[in-house]
């Protein structure tokens, strides 16, 4: 609870400073490049393997009941779009980006570069934290799109060429509505805000040598993942309250 309050305080401070001073475009572009390119291969490999494994599990568990695993394809795509896709992409990004951001800012904090930036008239919140938050919100829906497409593609290929079933069923959006896509993308964008926020929080707190940077890196990854799960729980509660389930 204390850490959640600290994250919200950091978000409020960053938004206030960013609106007052602006977000440096060069740093935003650099973060978009760094965060997107470093995480995209991990997402593609992870979601591709998951899509293939999903078909394998369907063949083992569902085939004795439904006879043809093609029946499982449309509901599986619905589940990937609404729940599993955002969670898997967010989890991989939390481990990658949460630790990366905490390490970067932790190294700067330990090297007194944050204090030097303030002394030269800069603002760590507007110039360092804000670009990472904006980049996270922009990058995560793109990563989610790539991951969802890769999972569906690998499921289709695996179903067709390994199990001899109708692979097109695994890319059939028969049971997936526009609201499901909106829900999935909304969660991905919120994850993109929470992950760099948690990483920045622990990175800017790092003091006490290289070991402190190491602890901040680990804590950034863990806190990013926990914040992501808290958002997912909150989104599920709101959706249930609105009757979206």
């Amino acid at each position: 609870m204390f850490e959640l309050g600290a994250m919200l305080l950091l978000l409020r401070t960053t938004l206030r400073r960013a609106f007052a001073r602006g977000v440096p475009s060069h740093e935003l572009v650099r973060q978009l490049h760094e965060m997107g390119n470093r995480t995209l291969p991990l997402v593609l490999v992870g979601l591709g393997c998951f899509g293939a494994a999903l078909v394998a599990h369907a063949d083992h568990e569902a085939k004795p009941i439904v006879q043809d695993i093609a029946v499982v394809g449309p509901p599986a795509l619905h589940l990937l779009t609404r729940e599993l896709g955002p969670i898997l992409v967010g989890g991989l990004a939390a481990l990658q980006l949460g630790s990366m951001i905490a390490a970067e800012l932790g190294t700067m904090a330990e090297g007194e570069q944050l204090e030097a930036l303030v002394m030269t008239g800069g603002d760590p919140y507007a110039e360092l934290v804000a670009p990472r938050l904006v980049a996270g919100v922009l990058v995560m829906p793109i990563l989610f799109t790539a991951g969802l497409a890769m999972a569906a593609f690998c499921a289709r290929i695996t179903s067709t060429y390994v199990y001899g079933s109708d692979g097109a069923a695994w890319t059939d959006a028969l049971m997936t509505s526009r609201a499901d896509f909106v829900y999935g993308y909304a969660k991905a964008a919120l994850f993109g805000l929470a992950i760099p926020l948690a990483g920045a929080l622990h990175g800017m707190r790092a003091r006490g040598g290289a070991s402190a940077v190491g602890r901040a890196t680990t804590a950034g990854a863990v806190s990013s993942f926990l914040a992501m799960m808290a958002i997912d729980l909150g989104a599920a509660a709101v959706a249930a309250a609105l009757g979206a389930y």
Side-chain angles (χ1 to χ4, degrees):
M1 185 63 71
F2 173 77
E3 188 163 298
L4 176 61
M7 289 176 61
L8 293 176
L9 181 61
L10 176 60
L11 177 61
R12 187 186 69 176
T13 303
T14 301
L15 291 176
R16 187 173 68 247
R17 301 284 183 86
F19 278 117
R21 301 176 65 101
V23 179
S25 58
H26 64 280
E27 180 64 14
L28 175 58
V29 171
R30 189 180 77 84
Q31 289 302 319
L32 287 170
H33 172 74
E34 287 286 322
M35 296 170 70
N37 286 351
R38 289 195 179 191
T39 313
L40 181 60
L42 182 64
V43 167
L44 292 178
V45 172
L47 270 292
C49 292
F50 182 81
L54 193 62
V55 177
H57 280 292
D59 182 76
H60 184 267
E61 301 292 341
K63 190 174 182 178
I65 302 172
V66 299
Q67 303 304 318
D68 187 355
I69 59 173
V71 178
V72 185
L77 182 62
H78 168 79
L79 189 62
L80 272 171
T81 302
R82 189 179 179 93
E83 300 293 345
L84 294 180
I87 285 291
L88 291 170
V89 173
L92 293 172
L95 297 176
Q96 175 77 18
L97 300 180
S99 58
M100 181 183 77
I101 292 171
E104 288 177 344
L105 297 183
T107 301
M108 296 180 70
E110 178 56 31
E112 299 184 350
Q113 296 178 43
L114 300 183
E115 289 81 356
L117 181 61
V118 173
M119 291 180 65
T120 56
D123 189 329
Y125 296 98
E127 298 181 29
L128 298 177
V129 180
R132 287 165 171 80
L133 298 186
V134 175
V137 173
L138 295 177
V139 162
M140 278 299 296
I142 297 174
L143 294 175
F144 171 57
T145 302
L148 181 62
M150 178 58 76
F153 173 75
C154 289
R156 179 169 183 162
I157 293 298
T158 304
S159 177
T160 301
Y161 295 105
V162 177
Y163 295 99
S165 180
D166 180 16
W170 295 85
T171 54
D172 187 351
L174 176 66
M175 300 184 66
T176 308
S177 66
R178 184 178 301 177
D180 295 322
F181 282 100
V182 171
Y183 184 75
Y185 276 102
K187 288 204 297 185
L190 289 174
F191 294 164
L193 176 66
I195 290 169
L197 190 64
L201 174 67
H202 289 283
M204 296 181 74
R205 285 176 171 178
R207 298 293 189 279
S211 61
V213 178
R215 289 192 298 271
T217 302
T218 303
V222 173
S223 294
S224 297
F225 190 81
L226 292 177
M228 185 196 74
M229 298 305 294
I231 290 172
D232 186 64
L233 176 61
V238 171
L242 294 177
Y245 275 111

